Structure formats: structure tokens, C-alpha cells
Amino acid sequence: MPCETKSRFVVLYGSQKGQAQSIAEGIAEEAEDHGLVAELSCLNQDEKYNLEKEIAPVVFVVSTTGDGEPPDNALQFVKRINKNQSPDHYKHLSYTLLALGDTNYANFCNCGKTIERRLQALGARQFYPAGFADDGVGLELVVDPWLEGLWKAVKEASSKMASVRNDESEANVKDSAKEFLGLTQPDVQLNLLSITDQRSQEAVQTDFHNVPSAPSTSSGQNPSTFSGRTEFVSQNDAMQTKDEGIPHISSSSPLTNSVPPLSQSSLNVPALPPPFLDVTLVEVDAPEQNVGPLKETFHEVPISKAVLLSRGDSVKTALLLELDISTCPALTYQPGDSLDVLCPNRAEEVDYMLCRLGLKDRRDHRVHVALRKDTKKKGAHVPPHIPQNVSLLFLFTWCLEIRSVPKKAFLRALVEYAADGTQKRRLQELCSKQGAADYNLHVRDASLSVVELLTAFSSCSPPLSLLIEHLPKLQPRPYSAASSCLRHPGKLHFVFSVVELPACFGRPAGRRGLCTGWLFDLIHPGIVFPGKTESSSSPAPAKAIHVSLRPSCSFRPPSEQSVPFIMVGPGTGVAPFIGFLQQREEARKRNPEAVFGETWLFFGCRHRNGDYLFRPASNRKFVLPFSSVSITTVSSNQISIILQKVLPTANFFT
């Protein structure tokens, strides 16, 4: 019998933080189990794929970053397809798309929507409905069912496209034969044989392994169970904290123990992700001197001022930082731009991770990472955020996001390294389909970090290579510029609220956000409080942070100054609009004869006395030196009434 050829399809991804890339890699790895061959490429690797000539189905997996912008590695592709081209440029292309976004931010899934809109405008056909996953409620709510239906759709699309090619090939051969032989009699027929006339009946393997329910004996391998939901243990009972070090999670915590019926159910557990990295540690004579980041695109700038914007009874602590950028021409900005702040992982959490791995005494050893020669992972490569020849301490401080919420693939990998039977079973539950609700409740919704997960599952002893394979890049945090360089030359302001994560079953004590907590600790001694002047005593030495500029493509005030526009910025969302107003005020001072359109800024907060940021001297309404700009705090009903009056002629910003 002739060998059956597996149908191929193309997987292209654009990813900023690694989420879309991880999903795309998972699709490529799972393809073989479904009798398919996937060709995986990043959208910026245009030398590896050619959509102009592609005859196989194409799967796009893309995220959105910034103000609805494409990821860095998808930007050139988006620019390319946005060029003027004929409406049938991609008429041969058959595609589907999975877009990742977050409805907590503007322009939800904008990159994915832009790609889909342009592909359809250029004649491409969609073989499977696009998916738009919302990280605000949980990506898996869309991603999981979308992936389940993908395989059948890819096979049907491949079969249909192959059939069309065969029909075209038969027609071409017949025409060529008639022309060559000069056959004109209608009773002469040419028949072609094709080994693809009969469809393959290969059994489709599933990538889920069946895990039996936990045995109902009293052995140490059984998960702890509760007799019912009414006996749910209280948080205070489930949480215990050691006198020192990392908090300890009680063995009765629902995070590490399940209740019926899940504890008695059979589980569909994902396939074990194949390992793909070899990691070695090399001892050096002298410890590493450089404790800062290696980012060449980041600039170290001093903090020249820190002002507390909120008041004592506020719900959140909001601060304004002023950076001295006078010596960094590369940080020249415009209103609407933002800056990336690079922060390190907390020292005590890094120490815990090194202790947990048994590598604290080797913290100064150099880390060498290479691909395993025997890996079965499709498209395996050393993660680009892992530098060579840096210390283990540097790697965990500046490169790996140990505060990231662990993905199900990581939980599945941890199963193999759990010594306790109860914890092993619970990890299987959390990464299974049946345990999706528990995963959402105790891990995703609680923003549980990798550090906190390993603290809870104390019997897990993963190798260093596993963490490097699964932990994403430590990402810089973006903040909008809250000033105008016309008003504050050589200075850049930005505003942030200190993120406070509450206690939960996997977090005995609340904690602050990584970057906002770090910034607060950094500047706390020198904060200027509302209504107070700066101290006349000797100032403390200036603290410095690493930042880079992130210019905006579209978030700008109107270029035509006579056009009226409206801004709505609740909470710290008001920050970029302060820069807009400062820019407009300075422009008016420099050109008093110019006509400026009416400008409205609506600001909202929970409590006027505590959360009214940039509070003016008057109680209700503040009018800048020129009367066309108004800043006001009003209710949502009042906003809707005003917008109905002024929106038809105004530009609208949020």
C-alpha cells in the first residue's frame, strides 16, 4: 500500500508576553496526534512562510498590546497587509484566527480584528470561525472550546483545498492532452487516478490521558476530602504563617485539597509537555558585580520627586513620580506616549526560589542553557529572554516572571515532581478539564503566583530547567506620561496606584503588585504629602529606575486645535489627559491669538475626599487660564446628558 501523506497546515503567531506563542506551540505539538503536520513560525519570520503562495490552511494566533497595537513581532506583518493591494490578493488563502485580548483595556483584540479585516478585504476565506479570548474573564473560556473544534475544521479545509487542487490539475491535464493529441471526438475520455480519492481512516489520537478517580482508602496516596460544601474550611483556619520566611499553607487549604465530586471523578489530564532545555551551572572565581538589567534599550534615570495624590482615607494609594530625563534625549516624549518601567523580582522571593531548588549556595554560578538533542518539542528554541553567561541570581531577579500566574501546562509538568500523593492528585485536578472551575477560583482569579503555588505544594521539587522552560519573561510595566515637556522641560511625570492583592487560600497574607510595590518602597521616605511643601532639609540621595519610551501610534490630542474634544479618565486613567491639558495650555500661552476648541475632561473616583486626584483648589469645577478647558467630576448620568449635547462635534478619548 502507498504511504498516506499527512495533511499540513501553517501556524503563525504574534506575541508580546508569550501567551499567544505558547498556544501556537501547543497547536503545533498536538497536530501530530491528530494526523496532521504543523509548520510553526512567528509573524516576523517572513523568510519561513509565504502567504502569497500558501496552499494549506493557515492558523493565526495573535495578542494585542499597548493601546490596541500589534505585538512587536507582528508589527511589520500588520504594516505589510495594510498596504494597498488588489482585492483578490489572498483569494487562494484559507485561514482562521485566535485573538487574545483583555476587555479591561480599550481596543479589545484590536490586532486580531485588524488582521482578520485586512485578510477578508484581500479575498482570503475563513475556514473556521475566529475566536476572541478575553483575559479579563479567563482566556480558557474561549481558547479551550476553540481548540477542540479546530482539528476537525483543519482536516476538512485541507481535504477541500486538496480536492480543488486535484480538480484543477485534472482539468489542466485534460486540456493539455486534448491540445496535444488534437482529440475532437466527444466519445474520447481521459481518466486520472489519484491515491487521495479514498479518505484516510486513521484513528485520531487524543492528547488527553485518562486518570482514574482517587481510591477511597485511607492510604497516604488519597486526597483529603470534605463531607460537603457546608463544611468548607474558613480562610483563617486554612492559613498559617511561619514566624519568619515564606508563609506556610495549611494542609487543609482548598487549594491543595479537593472535595467531592471532583475528588472522586476520573480526569482528562493534558499530555505532558516535552522537556526541551539542558541547563548547566558553571562555577566562577568572582561573583557577578552587575546587579542591574542588561537591557540596552532602557535608560537609568533618577526620580526627582514623589507626590502622594490620594489622601489617608482613600481606597487606593496613588502617587505621582517625576523623572529627570534631561540627560536622555532618547526619552523625548509627546502627550499620549507611555514609558516602560523595568523592575526586579523581590529579593526574598528570589531567595525562596533558589532555596526551593536547592541552589542557594550556587546563586553566583553562571547559567548555560542549550536545546536538548533528544527533545520532541516542535520548533524548540532557547527562549530569547534567557541570556547566556549570567548568574543564577541575575536570571531569577531580572529575567523570569516568578510572579506570573501558572498555566495549566506548568501544573501538568509539576505533577511528575510531586512526592505527596494528595498533592499530585490535586495538581492533576487543577490542570484537567473537570477541574477548570477550581483552577479559575484558586489560581487564575486569585492571581496566584508561581512562588505561591510552589509554597502551597511543598512536596514538588521541580528542576531548574522546568522553570526556565515554563516561566515567561519578566515584562516591563507600562505607564502613561502624565505631563507635557512644554510645561516641564527635562522632566517626565507618571502616575500609579499601588496594587494590593488580598489574602486567599494560596496567599496567607495580602501582597502588593510587583512593580507598584517596588516603586512605593523605593520612594517611600521621600514622598511629598498633599498640602505639604518639600522638605528644606538635605534631600535623600536620588533613586534611579530603568525606563524606555513607548511612543503611541494613535493616542494623541487632535492635531487641529480648533476641534473640540472630550476626555474621560476615571482614577489613574486621568494621567495621560493631564499631559494633554498641559500641552494645550502651553500652546495657548505661546499663541494667544489661536482659536482653541472647547475641551472637557471628566474624572471619576470612589470617594471625593480621598481619591480625587489632581484636585483643584475649588470644590466642583476647575477652569484653566483659558475658559475653553473644563475639568469636572460628575456622575455617570450627568456625563451621559452632557455627552449627548457635545459629542456630535467632538473628538472622544477614553
Side-chain angles (χ1 to χ4, degrees):
M1 290 181 62
C3 296
E4 290 287 350
T5 302
K6 293 183 178 181
S7 299
R8 62 176 282 274
F9 69 105
V10 177
V11 182
L12 302 176
Y13 67 85
S15 183
Q16 188 70 23
K17 297 183 178 180
Q19 189 84 283
Q21 178 180 348
S22 177
I23 294 173
E25 290 175 346
I27 293 173
E29 291 172 8
E30 194 176 336
E32 189 172 350
D33 294 336
H34 293 276
L36 299 166
V37 175
E39 295 180 3
L40 176 70
S41 299
C42 182
L43 282 169
N44 65 357
Q45 298 173 315
D46 51 4
E47 73 281 0
K48 292 186 177 182
Y49 66 92
N50 186 356
L51 294 185
E52 276 67 21
K53 298 181 179 179
E54 187 54 66
I55 59 174
V58 180
V59 178
F60 292 90
V61 184
V62 295
S63 61
T64 296
T65 188
D67 186 33
E69 298 164 1
D72 292 341
N73 54 18
L75 184 58
Q76 293 305 316
F77 173 80
V78 173
K79 289 181 178 180
R80 191 161 63 247
I81 64 174
N82 273 321
K83 293 180 180 179
N84 289 330
Q85 300 176 84
S86 64
D88 61 351
H89 185 77
Y90 284 138
K91 68 176 183 180
H92 61 283
L93 194 66
S94 185
Y95 80 96
T96 187
L97 179 141
L98 176 63
L100 312 183
D102 191 331
T103 50
N104 291 313
Y105 299 91
N107 299 315
F108 172 66
C109 287
N110 189 58
C111 178
K113 293 176 180 178
T114 298
I115 291 176
E116 181 173 51
R117 183 170 61 250
R118 286 302 297 158
L119 290 177
Q120 292 182 352
L122 297 174
R125 304 180 308 277
Q126 188 184 78
F127 71 83
Y128 181 57
F132 299 91
D134 181 9
D135 199 27
V137 297
L139 295 174
E140 66 277 359
L141 296 180
V142 170
V143 172
D144 289 351
W146 190 87
L147 291 176
E148 287 181 8
L150 174 66
W151 305 110
K152 180 181 178 182
V154 169
K155 291 178 181 179
E156 291 177 351
S158 297
S159 177
K160 183 177 180 180
M161 295 174 77
S163 177
V164 170
R165 291 196 301 273
N166 287 339
D167 291 344
E168 292 176 350
S169 177
E170 290 177 9
N172 290 337
V173 170
K174 288 181 179 180
D175 291 343
S176 299
K178 288 182 179 180
E179 182 178 349
F180 178 74
L181 297 174
L183 297 175
T184 57
Q185 291 91 342
D187 58 338
V188 177
Q189 273 189 312
L190 294 178
N191 296 296
L192 302 179
L193 297 178
S194 172
I195 63 173
T196 61
D197 286 346
Q198 295 183 348
R199 294 191 178 185
S200 170
Q201 300 296 322
E202 291 180 324
V204 179
Q205 300 179 358
T206 177
D207 66 322
F208 290 92
H209 303 297
N210 191 40
V211 178
S213 61
S216 56
T217 65
S218 59
S219 69
Q221 296 297 316
N222 297 341
S224 301
T225 59
F226 300 97
S227 59
R229 292 289 181 184
T230 56
E231 296 183 15
F232 200 82
V233 63
S234 70
Q235 285 197 10
N236 291 335
D237 292 336
M239 298 175 189
Q240 300 173 359
T241 304
K242 294 181 179 180
D243 293 336
E244 57 184 4
I246 298 295
H248 169 70
I249 309 298
S250 170
S251 59
S252 62
S253 168
L255 172 64
T256 53
N257 293 275
S258 66
V259 297
L262 182 59
S263 61
Q264 300 171 349
S265 302
S266 295
L267 304 174
N268 290 326
V269 177
L272 181 66
F276 62 95
L277 293 180
D278 269 331
V279 180
T280 56
L281 298 178
V282 180
E283 187 174 5
V284 293
D285 295 332
E288 190 172 53
Q289 298 298 320
N290 179 27
V291 294
L294 295 176
K295 306 291 183 180
E296 295 181 357
T297 57
F298 281 76
H299 306 273
E300 187 175 19
V301 295
I303 300 172
S304 53
K305 184 190 299 184
V307 180
L308 183 66
L309 298 179
S310 53
R311 298 175 186 268
D313 55 350
S314 62
V315 177
K316 295 182 178 181
T317 301
L319 297 110
L320 178 146
L321 295 192
E322 180 183 81
L323 304 180
D324 184 353
I325 61 171
S326 57
T327 59
C328 293
L331 294 179
T332 301
Y333 65 98
Q334 297 294 325
D337 289 343
S338 59
L339 72 156
D340 285 335
V341 177
L342 193 62
C343 67
N345 286 310
R346 294 186 68 85
E348 55 267 30
E349 294 179 5
V350 171
D351 286 343
Y352 172 77
M353 293 294 288
L354 295 179
C355 289
R356 187 61 184 275
L357 296 170
L359 298 173
K360 187 173 183 179
D361 293 338
R362 305 173 71 183
R363 58 192 294 142
D364 293 322
H365 284 42
R366 294 292 187 267
V367 182
H368 180 73
V369 182
L371 284 179
R372 291 178 57 151
K373 295 181 180 179
D374 61 344
T375 183
K376 297 180 180 179
K377 180 180 175 64
K378 299 286 186 181
H381 62 276
V382 176
H385 61 274
I386 305 298
Q388 296 289 356
N389 200 35
V390 295
S391 70
L392 187 60
L393 177 62
F394 182 92
L395 184 71
F396 274 92
T397 302
W398 292 103
C399 304
L400 300 176
E401 181 80 82
I402 62 177
R403 281 278 190 94
S404 63
V405 176
K407 301 296 185 290
K408 290 185 178 181
F410 180 62
L411 299 181
R412 174 64 185 90
L414 284 182
V415 170
E416 307 303 308
Y417 301 97
D420 179 79
T422 298
Q423 294 188 2
K424 181 186 289 285
R425 164 72 187 191
R426 185 55 171 157
L427 286 169
Q428 290 173 332
E429 291 173 357
L430 290 174
C431 69
S432 69
K433 287 186 177 181
Q434 291 77 6
D438 277 18
Y439 172 83
N440 290 339
L441 176 63
H442 297 301
V443 180
R444 188 187 67 83
D445 294 345
S447 296
L448 203 69
S449 70
V450 170
V451 174
E452 291 161 342
L453 183 86
L454 290 176
T455 304
F457 290 87
S458 55
S459 74
C460 285
S461 299
L464 174 61
S465 59
L466 186 73
L467 295 178
I468 296 178
E469 288 173 356
H470 286 270
L471 294 188
K473 173 186 176 183
L474 178 58
Q475 294 283 350
R477 273 50 173 178
Y479 298 94
S480 296
S483 57
S484 165
C485 55
L486 296 182
R487 168 76 70 84
H488 302 283
K491 306 292 184 182
L492 186 151
H493 295 176
F494 70 95
V495 176
F496 67 93
S497 290
V498 180
V499 176
E500 299 282 355
L501 296 174
C504 63
F505 287 113
R507 187 185 305 120
R511 61 170 168 84
R512 290 175 177 153
L514 180 61
C515 190
T516 59
W518 173 71
L519 287 171
F520 181 82
D521 292 340
L522 197 66
I523 53 89
H524 183 265
I527 294 177
V528 177
F529 292 89
K532 304 289 185 181
T533 59
E534 296 182 61
S535 174
S536 59
S537 59
S538 299
K543 304 289 186 178
I545 61 176
H546 292 84
V547 301
S548 69
L549 188 66
R550 178 185 284 188
S552 175
C553 298
S554 57
F555 186 55
R556 301 285 192 213
S559 56
E560 178 53 56
Q561 295 175 331
S562 62
V563 174
F565 73 107
I566 302 166
M567 300 164 285
V568 181
T572 55
V574 73
F577 300 131
I578 298 300
F580 281 22
L581 295 180
Q582 289 180 359
Q583 185 88 351
R584 176 157 284 204
E585 183 180 14
E586 291 300 316
R588 177 61 182 267
K589 288 180 179 179
R590 300 180 185 198
N591 190 7
E593 303 302 322
V595 177
F596 287 82
E598 190 171 1
T599 305
W600 287 83
L601 169 60
F602 294 97
F603 170 76
C605 58
R606 290 183 176 89
H607 305 291
R608 176 186 296 271
N609 292 333
D611 303 311
Y612 192 169
L613 310 185
F614 299 97
R615 185 178 187 133
S618 60
N619 243 354
R620 175 72 173 168
K621 187 173 180 180
F622 172 57
V623 182
L624 289 178
F626 49 104
S627 60
S628 62
V629 177
S630 297
I631 304 177
T632 183
T633 55
V634 294
S635 69
S636 57
N637 289 336
Q638 289 172 313
I639 288 179
S640 63
I641 294 172
I642 297 173
L643 292 184
Q644 291 174 8
K645 297 180 179 179
V646 298
L647 187 58
T649 60
N651 284 18
F652 188 57
F653 291 85
T654 59

